[in-house]
Amino acid sequence: MNAIIADDSTGEAALPPTVAEEQSIAIISDAAPVFTPAPASTSTTAATSASPPKRRAKPLDTRVTGQPGFVLHSYPHRETSLIIDVFSRDYGRIALVAKGAKRPLSKLRGVLQTFQPLSLSWSGKSEVRTLIAAEWVGGMLPLEKSALLCGFYLNELLVKLVARDDPHAILFDHYVTTLNQLAHQEPAPIVLRQFERALLKQTGVAGDFTRCTSSRQPVDPAESYVVDPERGPRLARAADSWPRVSGKTLLDMEREDYSDVVTQAQSKVLMRFLLAHHLGGAPLNTRQILIDLMQL
């Protein structure tokens, strides 16, 4: 399948970088020593005047070709372009400007869709790179009905919890697996809990659910616990306002076993609490819609 090349004939100026590019410029001091040639009559070799310091060569544009990725979100840029938030396998979440993608005849309009596996090429050094080409890879079923809304929930989590330019190859593969599970109508509550847990693990904010942080002892399936969002599980106390879960639920979640209905119910409340903490109170629009429609 031929790659679709991004339209670079729009005549639009390049997007100004949002992060200043650093350049090393040698500065000649006014107090620099003056070199004078030796008298011609002497036998010593004449001293040469100092050559001006050379500017450091400007680094070449970074070019990436054929990178697997998905569009998480897009929004208009100027009259005919889009800025797309992409989740790539080896480069993490990045922003790309797709020049001319809003033009009526642009083939990119039909390619830069969410939940479609793409092969992407881009160039640039700034925070927002320039899309060079995009190719639809295929091989995945489309998301429909409630599964589609679940997919948007996954994308919102990635946009809000994954830092730009932070590679997460394992999380990328988990995202692909989750989309396939949703497309094949596997139980959404279980699929989403597994992804939420993987997301917090891969971004480094999830604790070990198999060990109590206060006693350093293994979690007891018969005991009641709360989970400190910054440290991990500890035995529940009478004054605790955090969600209480059984030790069995914590161990089931660590094994990704959600077959127990009690585990499903407790893990739903626990993950909602942990995500709210790491989001700093920022609301999840798709989560609220899912709660209303599916009681997730």
Side-chain angles (χ1 to χ4, degrees), residues 95-112:
L96 301 175
V97 56
K99 296 182 178 180
K102 290 169 58 183
R103 290 181 178 274
L105 299 180
S106 173
K107 293 182 180 179
L108 287 173
R109 290 170 64 98
V111 174
L112 301 178

Side-chain angles (χ1 to χ4, degrees), residues 64-120:
V64 175
T65 58
Q67 176 65 202
F70 289 83
V71 173
L72 298 177
H73 176 65
S74 65
Y75 51 93
H77 173 64
R78 297 176 181 164
E79 293 184 1
T80 62
S81 302
L82 290 173
I83 290 181
I84 55 175
D85 211 334
V86 167
F87 188 37
S88 65
R89 173 178 288 153
D90 300 320
Y91 295 85
R93 190 171 69 87
I94 61 172
L96 301 175
V97 56
K99 296 182 178 180
K102 290 169 58 183
R103 290 181 178 274
L105 299 180
S106 173
K107 293 182 180 179
L108 287 173
R109 290 170 64 98
V111 174
L112 301 178
Q113 303 295 322
T114 51
F115 316 122
Q116 296 299 316
L118 303 174
S119 176
L120 300 166

Side-chain angles (χ1 to χ4, degrees), residues 34-51:
V34 179
F35 293 86
T36 56
S41 59
T42 63
S43 59
T44 59
T45 304
T48 59
S49 55
S51 58

Side-chain angles (χ1 to χ4, degrees), residues 149 188-189 192-193 264-265 268-269 272 286-296:
L149 191 56
L192 295 183
R193 293 301 86 75
Q264 292 179 28
K268 174 184 67 176
V269 176
R272 191 180 303 173
T286 48
R287 159 63 84 177
Q288 188 56 51
I289 297 173
L290 284 168
I291 292 173
D292 293 341
L293 293 180
M294 304 172 60
Q295 294 300 306
L296 292 181

Side-chain angles (χ1 to χ4, degrees), residues 167-294:
H168 288 288
I170 295 176
L171 183 59
F172 180 91
D173 292 339
H174 202 116
Y175 176 75
V176 175
T177 298
T178 303
L179 292 182
N180 275 316
Q181 290 173 326
L182 292 172
H184 286 85
Q185 300 181 352
E186 295 191 26
I190 295 176
V191 172
L192 295 183
R193 293 301 86 75
Q194 291 172 335
F195 182 82
E196 291 164 348
R197 178 70 176 148
L199 174 60
L200 295 186
K201 277 186 175 182
Q202 294 304 315
T203 54
V205 296
D208 180 6
F209 281 3
T210 66
R211 189 165 294 274
C212 177
T213 58
S214 57
S215 66
R216 305 309 304 166
Q217 297 298 315
V219 165
D220 185 342
E223 291 286 352
S224 179
Y225 295 84
V226 296
V227 178
D228 186 326
E230 300 295 334
R231 302 184 62 184
R234 64 167 173 77
L235 289 170
R237 302 165 186 161
D240 282 328
S241 60
W242 292 344
R244 293 170 179 259
V245 296
S246 69
K248 179 181 182 302
T249 290
L250 294 176
L251 296 175
D252 284 347
M253 293 178 69
E254 198 68 30
R255 293 189 296 262
E256 296 190 358
D257 180 3
Y258 294 86
S259 56
D260 190 329
V261 293
V262 175
T263 297
Q264 292 179 28
Q266 291 186 350
S267 64
K268 174 184 67 176
V269 176
L270 175 59
M271 291 309 303
R272 191 180 303 173
F273 164 74
L274 295 177
L275 288 171
H277 172 83
H278 293 298
L279 287 165
L284 284 169
N285 299 324
T286 48
R287 159 63 84 177
Q288 188 56 51
I289 297 173
L290 284 168
I291 292 173
D292 293 341
L293 293 180
M294 304 172 60

